[in-house]
Amino acid sequence: GAGRLFCTGLDLQAAMSIFGSDSAQDVPRRALKIRHFGKAWQDAFTSIEICGKAVIACMHGACLGAALEMVSACDIRFCTEDTTFQLAEVNLGLASDVGGLQRLPKIIGNQSLVRELALSGRKMLANEAFQHGLVSRSFTAKEAMMAEALSLAKTIASKSPVATLGIKEFLNYSRDHSVSDSLEYAITWNMGMLQGADLAMATASMVQKSVPEFDSLPSVPSAGELRQSKL
């Protein structure tokens, strides 16, 4: 996203070299090859969603195709006022399959709009993206957006990593489960997490008006990553 545009999506030439017809293989083997690479792309985007860190996407200029599917897996999305969004895969003769059609209906909450965008391939402007909740903030300039995103990232980084991980776990789980199941999941999770040092440290720091310094989490897979590895 450092150039003129955030991302225009899939590299078509590279994709065709992977998915193009191979006369040396029959249909089942070509199909399994497509599945292998497709699942790898799906997992790459899902890793953003299930990692224990907050991920902020900052878009400018254009966010097209697979790029829109990628940012749909991020926790927070900002854009500049000149940004256009597009589910462009339909224009290439395919249905997008790396997360956009699965996540966007739950982000936007409007089946009619998602179907309109996906079926027509029309562009969505920044003001419409903000109106429907695809992004939480829109900025006049990229520099202002990046400064605000960095400030927000620093604020989030100052919080307990145990709390950050728990918040992402709860929100991701609740999106795909009932309220009752999600409450049960949350209290079961917190049975252990509330006994940790971070809660006492954060509480003491609030009383003392000091800045707490939390230990980093160990390098182990999150619960979401473990679930994903079993699929």
Side-chain angles (χ1 to χ4, degrees):
R4 184 171 58 88
L5 306 172
F6 174 72
C7 182
T8 56
L10 183 67
D11 183 329
L12 296 179
Q13 186 173 359
M16 290 307 299
S17 68
I18 296 172
F19 300 137
S21 298
D22 184 349
S23 59
Q25 293 181 326
D26 64 0
V27 171
R29 287 166 177 80
R30 290 200 301 270
L32 289 171
K33 179 181 178 182
I34 291 173
R35 176 179 174 82
H36 171 78
F37 283 103
K39 286 293 294 181
W41 282 340
Q42 288 180 345
D43 292 346
F45 289 176
T46 297
S47 69
I48 299 171
E49 181 176 75
I50 65 179
C51 76
K53 307 293 185 182
V55 181
I56 304 172
C58 296
M59 290 81 70
H60 68 284
C63 180
L64 311 179
L68 178 52
E69 298 193 81
M70 178 183 69
V71 301
S72 71
C74 295
D75 299 296
I76 300 164
R77 288 170 293 275
F78 292 168
C79 76
T80 55
E81 293 177 354
D82 66 344
T83 308
T84 57
F85 301 87
Q86 185 181 23
L87 286 169
E89 288 86 348
V90 68
N91 297 330
L92 302 175
L94 61 93
S96 58
D97 60 1
V98 289
L101 297 183
Q102 292 70 37
R103 295 186 176 97
L104 286 174
K106 297 180 179 182
I107 294 170
I108 295 176
N110 185 326
Q111 277 280 347
S112 178
L113 177 59
V114 172
R115 290 168 187 259
E116 175 191 340
L117 295 171
L119 293 169
S120 69
R122 80 162 175 87
K123 293 181 179 180
M124 171 188 275
L125 302 181
N127 61 339
E128 187 180 6
F130 175 77
Q131 176 186 352
H132 292 287
L134 177 60
V135 298
S136 54
R137 301 196 209 179
S138 178
F139 298 82
T140 55
K142 178 184 176 184
E143 294 75 17
M145 175 181 66
M146 298 304 296
E148 184 61 26
L150 182 59
S151 175
L152 177 60
K154 290 179 178 178
T155 298
I156 295 173
S158 72
K159 310 300 183 183
S160 161
V162 173
T164 299
L165 175 62
I167 289 168
K168 287 196 62 168
E169 286 289 337
F170 292 176
L171 290 173
N172 288 340
Y173 189 91
S174 298
R175 180 196 59 195
D176 301 326
H177 296 80
S178 69
V179 172
S180 176
D181 288 345
S182 300
L183 287 170
E184 184 67 24
Y185 182 82
I187 197 61
T188 301
W189 175 280
N190 270 344
M191 286 167 56
M193 298 304 171
L194 293 181
Q195 300 183 61
D198 286 21
L199 177 59
M201 186 182 301
T203 302
S205 296
M206 288 182 64
V207 173
Q208 299 167 6
K209 300 186 184 303
S210 60
V211 179
E213 293 186 7
F214 300 104
D215 291 336
S216 299
L217 295 180
S219 298
V220 296
S222 68
E225 289 170 326
L226 288 172
R227 288 196 299 271
Q228 182 68 17
S229 67
K230 295 177 181 179
L231 297 179

